[in-house]
Amino acid sequence: MDLIEVLPSLRMLRFPVGAAYLWRDGDELTLIDTGTADAAAEIEEVLDGELRRIVLTHWHEDHTGSAARLAARYGAEVVAHRLEAPVIRGEAVGAPPVLEEFEIPIRAGVPALPPAPPCRVDREVEDGDVLEFGGGALVVAVPGHTDGSIAVHLPGPGVLFTGDAVANVGRTTLGVFNTDRARAVASLHRLAAPTVDTAVFGHGDPVVHGAAAALRAAAAATR
């Protein structure tokens, strides 16, 4: 795992597949996504405050893999969209992606990931709900990658956590491996609307400054 300071209050935890993010409010920490099931020990090494909550952007195993272990050990509140919660709890099976032709070789190159153990979800959220970190974190529904994918917008500091709705590998683009491309494109266009300076992604490098322009350019190039 690589630990990268994006902002004084925001650190990126980069894994071989995907990333998670730690947001700090004083001594209180919020973890956005948790990497794969084998990442928990490395995450624990960098927790230098109270892990108050875990926000899961969607159910995929590279985002929820370590959630159960961390939630149980630290008593953190687990937050996810109501449509993702049954899959995260192990009560339902998530829909597989509908691959575009260009995505087939990309998918073939992704290593097999350990399954995510079922994890409790303490708070089921909807579009427009506000979470108590970062001065008020707005839940933004971004369906398409999965039915209940969410992004999280911090209007005060101008930070956007996109989950897998957007990627930034080489350039800012629509995320891959979507269940419904049309809805995913609509979600990308929605994320291009907020005024954000910093955007961080499930896959790819953060855009530390000028994120709104990068998101608008990605949306303009995607139909």
Side-chain angles (χ1 to χ4, degrees):
M1 182 187 80
D2 295 325
L3 183 64
I4 300 163
E5 182 173 294
V6 181
L7 298 170
S9 297
L10 176 61
R11 290 178 289 170
M12 177 184 188
L13 287 57
R14 191 198 300 272
F15 306 109
V17 176
Y21 296 91
L22 271 175
W23 179 269
R24 172 180 292 280
D25 290 300
D27 292 331
E28 185 176 285
L29 301 175
T30 296
L31 180 65
I32 296 91
D33 289 329
T34 67
T36 50
D38 52 7
E42 291 181 295
I43 294 173
E44 289 179 32
E45 290 179 1
V46 301
L47 296 178
D48 54 355
E50 176 194 2
L51 183 59
R52 176 66 183 82
R53 68 184 58 79
I54 297 168
V55 181
L56 301 173
T57 61
H58 61 291
W59 66 263
H60 287 163
E61 57 266 69
D62 54 326
H63 294 257
T64 62
S66 292
R69 172 171 164 173
L70 295 171
R73 178 160 186 178
Y74 297 98
E77 177 187 48
V78 180
V79 180
H81 192 278
R82 66 173 180 83
L83 296 178
E84 303 293 282
V87 184
I88 293 168
R89 293 185 182 117
E91 301 165 352
V93 177
V98 178
L99 298 180
E100 302 288 313
E101 186 173 349
F102 78 91
E103 294 176 333
I104 295 172
I106 300 174
R107 182 76 170 188
V110 176
L113 302 177
C119 179
R120 59 179 167 82
V121 176
D122 303 301
R123 181 174 176 183
E124 298 183 18
V125 294
E126 300 268 10
D127 183 61
D129 286 349
V130 176
L131 306 176
E132 296 76 20
F133 74 95
L138 182 66
V139 174
V140 183
V142 286
H145 185 64
T146 64
D147 286 347
S149 285
I150 60 171
V152 180
H153 179 212
L154 309 184
V159 174
L160 180 67
F161 302 87
T162 73
D164 280 1
V166 190
N168 191 52
V169 181
R171 60 189 178 93
T172 307
T173 61
L174 180 72
V176 295
F177 309 155
N178 300 301
T179 59
D180 187 324
R181 188 179 190 278
R183 297 181 81 196
V185 170
S187 292
L188 169 60
H189 281 258
R190 185 179 187 195
L191 292 180
T195 300
V196 297
D197 193 38
T198 300
V200 292
F201 311 90
H203 301 274
D205 297 325
V207 176
V208 180
H209 298 294
L215 291 164
R216 286 195 295 269
T222 308
R223 292 288 183 268

